[in-house]
């Protein structure tokens, strides 16, 4: 996409979305009223189309992606038909997977090929999995040998590996030339690749020997040789490297771009900060969805059936756990009948336990994502979290115990409340550490359904502990 296209601020983008929605409603009304009326530039329908086209042409592809994700399917496709064909590929790269699927489904094979053929090899690799299989042979045949090899190379890596995120648009120079020659060489470009902060220095065998930051190029004498001022010690990455680890390196060393090399230090691509930011955002969104038990990113305007398929699994698990909690309460029906205060107080025990468990599990999942802890440290983590929960249980359990004593004029009830609160917080801490650790042992995402599982444990456990203690000591 062009770097000269202006972005739109969030408030202004919201205004543009409202304007687009209003124009779409106006078009629908004109079409319904006029039927086969002329669609010339001077007609009301033509004027509405022109206004809509002017708004769309003034938006950056990233802003248009936000617009598409904010529109219901019918409006989304109506706007998609008005987008200039030369912008289709850039927009497909920006939208979410679910929205991209709906847009591609509205295109024929010829339109798809026209949209994706101008894209770079690394961008094509991002889209290939979403394209209809029948267009792939023609698409690959339209590429030159180098681009075809690059697309196939990028597709060979997992989504969370550097090789799937690297791009091939970079500037390389030789170490045995002067800075004056480098400057003349750069002036031959219409524009430098996006995020270019350094030039990659290679020898005759394309082995990376260093990098030349652009500001060094500008402040040094043109007579100097590249090898004299280049930085030989650079951060390099392999295509097999984990993208999350690389993202941490970008943050730690304030990198904008970094070279990607093979085992022999041959330069094969680069990784840029924009790709790292996109990856981190996608990882954060995936983790948030996993915690809620959603299997995949969901188009907010998806069909009912698609949304049901995405959500049913963990809802079913939640239903089972809720049923278990209800049966725990059922075991103590006679106790609740004799002391009605139990019914009013038991949600407090379960609720505080669930909140504490979610705090613990959030801290553990974050630490695991940052590689700060592993399964070998589970005992130390248990000791620490159990200590925190014991302190909180005694303090806040004591506070609610005193409140229960004063409210119901029953000191024994207050003591049971304090004990139940403390024990449920200890259970929450134990499971808050244990659930993500177990998930990792099983080879699963530690965040997957974590909030559902911890809530289930603290609800059932809290009810059982509180009602059990009440039955033993109060009745």
């Amino acid at each position: 996409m062009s770097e000269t296209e202006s972005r739109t601020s969030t408030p202004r983008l919201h205004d543009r979305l409202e304007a687009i929605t209003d124009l779409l409603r106006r078009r629908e009304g004109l079409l319904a009223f006029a039927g086969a009326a002329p669609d010339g530039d001077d007609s009301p329908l033509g004027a509405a189309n022109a206004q809509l086209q002017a708004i769309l042409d003034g938006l950056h592809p990233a802003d248009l992606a936000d617009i598409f994700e904010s529109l219901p399917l019918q409006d989304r496709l109506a706007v998609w038909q008005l987008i200039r064909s030369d912008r289709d590929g850039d927009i497909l790269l920006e939208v979410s997977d679910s929205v991209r699927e709906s847009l591609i489904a509205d295109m024929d094979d010829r339109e798809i090929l026209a949209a994706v053929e101008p894209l770079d090899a690394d961008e094509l690799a991002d889209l290939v999995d979403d394209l209809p299989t029948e267009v792939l042979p023609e698409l690959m045949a339209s590429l030159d040998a180098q681009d075809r090899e690059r697309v196939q190379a990028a597709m060979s890596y997992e989504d969370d590996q550097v090789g799937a995120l690297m791009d091939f648009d970079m500037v390389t120079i030789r170490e045995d030339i002067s800075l004056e020659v480098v400057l003349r060489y750069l002036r031959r470009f219409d524009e430098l690749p996006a995020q270019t902060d350094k030039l990659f220095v290679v020898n005759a065998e394309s082995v990376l020997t260093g990098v030349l930051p652009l500001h060094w190029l500008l402040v040094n004498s043109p007579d100097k040789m590249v090898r004299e001022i280049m930085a030989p010690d650079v951060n390099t990455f392999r295509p097999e490297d984990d993208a999350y680890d690389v993202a941490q390196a970008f943050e730690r060393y304030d990198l904008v771009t970094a070279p990607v090399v093979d085992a022999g230090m041959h330069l094969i691509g680069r990784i840029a900060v924009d790709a790292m930011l996109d990856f981190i955002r996608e990882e954060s969104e995936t983790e948030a969805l996993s915690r809620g038990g959603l299997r995949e990113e969901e188009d907010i305007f998806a069909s009912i059936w698609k949304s049901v398929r995405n959500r049913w699994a963990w809802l079913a698990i939640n239903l089972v756990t809720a049923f278990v909690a209800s049966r725990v309460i059922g075991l103590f029906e006679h106790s609740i009948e004799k002391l009605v205060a139990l019914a009013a107080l038991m949600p407090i025990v379960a609720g505080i336990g669930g909140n504490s468990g979610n705090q613990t599990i959030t801290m553990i999942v974050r630490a695991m994502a940052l590689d700060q802890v592993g399964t070998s440290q589970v005992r130390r983590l248990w000791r620490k979290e159990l200590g925190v929960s014991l302190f909180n249980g005694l303090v806040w359990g004591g506070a609610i115990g005193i409140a229960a004593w004063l409210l119901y004029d029953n000191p024994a009830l207050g003591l049971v409340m304090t004990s139940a609160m403390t024990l449920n917080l200890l259970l929450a801490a134990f499971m808050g550490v244990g659930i993500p650790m177990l998930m990792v042992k099983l080879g699963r995402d530690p965040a997957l359904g974590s909030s559902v599982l911890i809530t289930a444990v603290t609800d059932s456990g809290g009810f059982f502990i509180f009602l059990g203690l009440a039955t033993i000591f109060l009745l």
Side-chain angles (χ1 to χ4, degrees):
M1 72 187 65
S2 172
E3 290 300 308
T4 59
E5 293 181 271
S6 62
R7 272 76 166 175
T8 304
S9 65
T10 299
R12 288 182 58 202
L13 189 62
H14 178 72
D15 293 340
R16 299 286 177 86
L17 176 61
E18 288 189 344
I20 289 171
T21 303
D22 290 343
L23 285 169
L24 288 171
R25 298 289 81 79
R26 181 179 168 191
R27 288 175 78 248
E28 289 178 4
L30 290 170
L31 287 169
F33 178 77
D39 188 17
D41 292 340
D42 297 331
S43 69
L45 184 58
N49 283 336
Q51 292 179 51
L52 192 53
Q53 190 75 61
I55 294 175
L56 298 176
D57 288 346
L59 290 173
H60 188 274
D63 295 327
L64 284 170
D66 287 339
I67 294 292
F68 282 117
E69 291 169 6
S70 304
L71 290 173
L73 181 60
Q74 183 178 354
D75 291 346
R76 181 186 302 160
L77 297 182
V79 172
W80 184 236
Q81 296 299 325
L82 295 172
I83 296 293
R84 297 200 318 266
S85 58
D86 61 331
R87 307 185 77 197
D88 287 352
D90 290 333
I91 295 170
L92 289 175
L93 284 171
E94 296 285 353
V95 295
S96 63
D97 293 344
S98 53
V99 173
R100 183 187 301 135
E101 180 182 343
S102 68
L103 297 180
I104 290 177
D106 191 55
M107 304 170 72
D108 59 33
D109 292 354
R110 178 183 55 80
E111 291 173 327
I112 293 173
L113 287 170
V116 301
E117 281 179 347
L119 299 178
D120 294 333
D122 57 297
E123 296 172 330
L124 279 175
D126 291 338
L127 291 180
V128 162
D129 288 342
D130 298 316
L131 300 180
T133 54
E134 54 268 22
V135 307
L136 294 182
E138 187 173 350
L139 172 62
M140 297 302 286
S142 68
L143 303 176
D144 60 39
Q146 184 182 51
D147 281 344
R148 186 160 53 247
E149 182 180 346
R150 287 174 171 177
V151 170
Q152 292 170 341
M155 290 172 59
S156 66
Y157 298 103
E158 300 292 335
D159 291 341
D160 59 354
Q161 290 183 313
V162 168
L165 303 174
M166 68 180 179
D167 68 67
F168 307 96
D169 196 10
M170 55 191 170
V171 180
T172 61
I173 56 174
R174 297 280 293 274
E175 60 184 354
D176 56 353
I177 59 176
S178 68
L179 300 189
E180 182 180 2
V181 174
V182 174
L183 289 168
R184 288 205 306 267
Y185 172 63
L186 293 181
R187 293 190 187 102
R188 295 167 54 189
F189 289 85
D190 293 330
E191 60 179 358
L192 293 177
Q195 314 296 337
T196 296
D197 67 320
K198 59 177 68 78
L199 309 178
F200 300 115
V201 184
V202 296
N203 62 19
E205 288 76 35
S206 294
V207 173
L208 182 75
T209 58
V211 297
L212 177 61
L214 288 182
H215 64 280
W216 291 7
L217 173 64
L218 297 176
V219 300
N220 280 278
S221 169
D223 296 329
K224 288 188 176 181
M225 303 296 288
V226 169
R227 69 164 66 91
E228 295 180 56
I229 64 168
M230 70 179 188
D233 184 19
V234 297
N235 292 289
T236 60
F237 301 103
R238 300 280 297 277
E240 302 85 7
D241 288 345
D242 184 271
Y244 199 91
D245 295 337
V246 175
Q248 289 180 283
F250 264 67
E251 186 272 335
R252 186 180 305 116
Y253 303 119
D254 296 325
L255 300 178
V256 176
T257 60
V260 181
V261 297
D262 62 14
M265 288 297 290
H266 295 92
L267 182 67
I268 57 177
R270 69 165 187 165
I271 191 75
V273 66
D274 57 344
M276 290 290 94
L277 288 174
D278 288 342
F279 176 78
I280 292 298
R281 176 182 56 80
E282 291 170 3
E283 285 293 295
S284 299
E285 291 174 354
T286 299
E287 182 177 317
L289 292 171
S290 295
R291 283 200 300 268
L294 293 174
R295 296 189 302 172
E296 59 187 24
E297 181 185 20
E298 182 179 307
D299 179 0
I300 195 65
F301 297 107
S303 67
I304 293 175
W305 176 237
K306 280 190 174 182
S307 296
V308 167
R309 284 190 302 166
N310 190 33
R311 305 180 194 184
W312 75 268
W314 282 96
L315 285 177
I317 294 173
N318 205 8
L319 177 62
V320 172
T321 59
F323 180 77
V324 171
S326 72
R327 296 318 307 148
V328 170
I329 297 173
L331 294 174
F332 299 95
E333 286 180 355
H334 62 287
S335 301
I336 297 173
E337 290 173 356
K338 293 178 181 178
L339 189 57
V340 179
L342 300 179
L345 294 175
M346 66 182 185
I348 299 175
V349 176
I352 297 299
N355 184 275
S356 178
N358 272 305
Q359 289 178 341
T360 300
I361 214 165
T362 299
M363 292 295 295
I364 298 300
V365 169
R366 177 183 178 276
M368 295 178 80
L370 296 175
D371 287 333
Q372 295 174 344
V373 299
T375 54
S376 62
Q377 296 165 297
V378 63
R379 293 182 183 274
R380 179 179 297 177
L381 292 170
W382 265 327
R383 284 196 299 270
K384 183 255 185 178
E385 292 299 325
L386 289 172
V388 172
S389 294
L390 179 61
F391 179 84
N392 283 331
L394 293 174
V395 171
W396 299 112
I400 194 64
I402 293 172
W405 174 9
L406 298 175
L407 188 61
Y408 296 100
D409 193 25
N410 188 338
L413 178 60
L415 184 60
V416 165
M417 191 70 182
T418 300
S419 302
M421 180 78 77
T422 302
L423 289 173
N424 199 32
L425 288 180
L426 291 172
L427 174 63
F430 183 83
M431 297 306 296
V433 174
I435 287 173
M437 292 293 180
L438 179 61
M439 287 291 191
V440 170
K441 284 281 190 181
L442 298 175
R444 307 296 297 275
D445 181 356
L448 183 62
S450 57
S451 63
V452 176
L453 294 174
I454 195 68
T455 301
V457 170
T458 54
D459 280 357
S460 300
F463 294 149
F464 184 82
I465 292 169
F466 178 60
L467 296 175
L469 290 176
T471 300
I472 295 171
F473 294 107
L474 300 180
L475 302 176

